[in-house]
Amino acid sequence: MTVHTLTEEWILAYAAGGLNEGQLLVAACHLSFHPELVDAVHEAEAVGGALLSDLPDAEVSPDMLATVLDRLDRPGAAERPVEAARIKGMPDPLTAYIGGGYDRLRWRVLGPGLRHALLWTGPDGQKAWLLRGEGARVIPEHGHSGDEWTLVLKGAYHARGERFVAGDLEMADPSVHHIPSLDPSEECICLAYTAGRIRPRSPIVRLMQPFIGL
Ligand code: ZN
């Protein structure tokens, strides 16, 4: 059984400001589904300096992190760009980050019935992106050259014999091979963070990879 929420290690890193912008975006959106984890973040913050000194250095400059945190945490930040109440089916931190709803984004075709929109690219090629699909779509079997976090925002998908629903986070590392398949009951939208590239098993998908950009 895999864990469907942010692990303790990453809650500590979040509290210590040790996440990069893409991880921070996914974590903030995940926490908006899980008030109980927000309590854990506050506890981690309260534990303070002793633990923080053991963590690896933040991958982002303090200035950049402060800017992102400001964008994510500022009261009313979600309302300002859209001048409206919450956007249905979208976590507030994501609304604040992209400054509006899903229609603002440039969606590119990823495969039949699947589209993706790039949100952020990190200094070492890390990416934060959205995946959107309808019907019984399957992401071709792949491994990973780095961490991959997938947060379900809407709908559901199956992978590794488990079902991931809205608010669930699947954390995959280079040891994981999976074949995520979308639940056909409704449209599925996921927010993903990937460090490194995915490693498709199929040579045909590998040939297409440069055009997909993931
Ligand atoms: Zn994957």
Side-chain angles (χ1 to χ4, degrees):
M1 187 80 182
T2 52
V3 179
H4 290 208
T5 55
L6 202 62
T7 56
E8 201 171 329
E9 170 199 0
W10 288 107
I11 287 173
L12 283 171
Y14 179 90
L19 304 188
N20 65 36
E21 184 170 334
Q23 291 171 313
L24 194 57
L25 178 63
V26 177
C29 291
H30 178 55
L31 292 175
S32 74
F33 286 92
H34 292 279
E36 78 281 5
L37 291 181
V38 175
D39 292 343
V41 170
H42 289 151
E43 279 169 30
E45 284 167 342
V47 169
L51 278 171
L52 304 190
S53 62
D54 292 338
L55 287 167
D57 290 341
E59 290 178 18
V60 289
S61 73
D63 283 356
M64 201 281 275
L65 186 68
T67 307
V68 177
L69 282 171
D70 187 48
R71 282 169 82 173
L72 296 177
D73 290 346
R74 194 172 46 217
E79 286 78 10
R80 200 166 301 122
V82 291
E83 307 228 337
R86 292 177 169 179
I87 294 177
K88 198 167 176 288
M90 181 182 260
D92 288 350
L94 184 59
T95 309
Y97 192 80
I98 66 182
Y102 293 118
D103 293 344
R104 278 182 80 95
L105 299 169
R106 186 158 165 262
W107 292 91
R108 297 175 64 195
V109 173
L110 186 62
L114 292 169
R115 289 177 292 159
H116 74 114
L118 183 65
L119 299 178
W120 170 82
T121 304
D124 299 316
Q126 309 99 317
K127 290 184 173 68
W129 51 285
L130 286 160
L131 172 73
R132 188 173 198 175
E134 252 173 312
R137 306 295 175 184
V138 175
I139 316 293
E141 180 173 2
H142 62 272
H144 313 85
S145 66
D147 286 345
E148 178 188 79
W149 298 1
T150 310
L151 171 66
V152 183
L153 303 178
K154 183 174 184 278
Y157 74 89
H158 298 260
R160 296 190 265 169
E162 291 181 43
R163 186 166 190 257
F164 294 85
V165 300
D168 282 354
L169 181 68
E170 183 189 6
M171 302 184 84
D173 62 28
S175 71
V176 171
H177 267 257
H178 59 182
I179 315 172
S181 59
L182 306 191
D183 191 309
S185 59
E186 65 167 315
E187 182 189 33
C188 182
I189 302 178
C190 295
L191 171 63
Y193 164 79
T194 44
R197 297 177 75 81
I198 64 167
R199 295 183 184 279
R201 191 183 180 107
S202 152
I204 294 167
V205 177
R206 280 204 296 273
L207 278 175
M208 288 168 57
Q209 203 170 7
F211 303 102
I212 298 169
L214 295 174

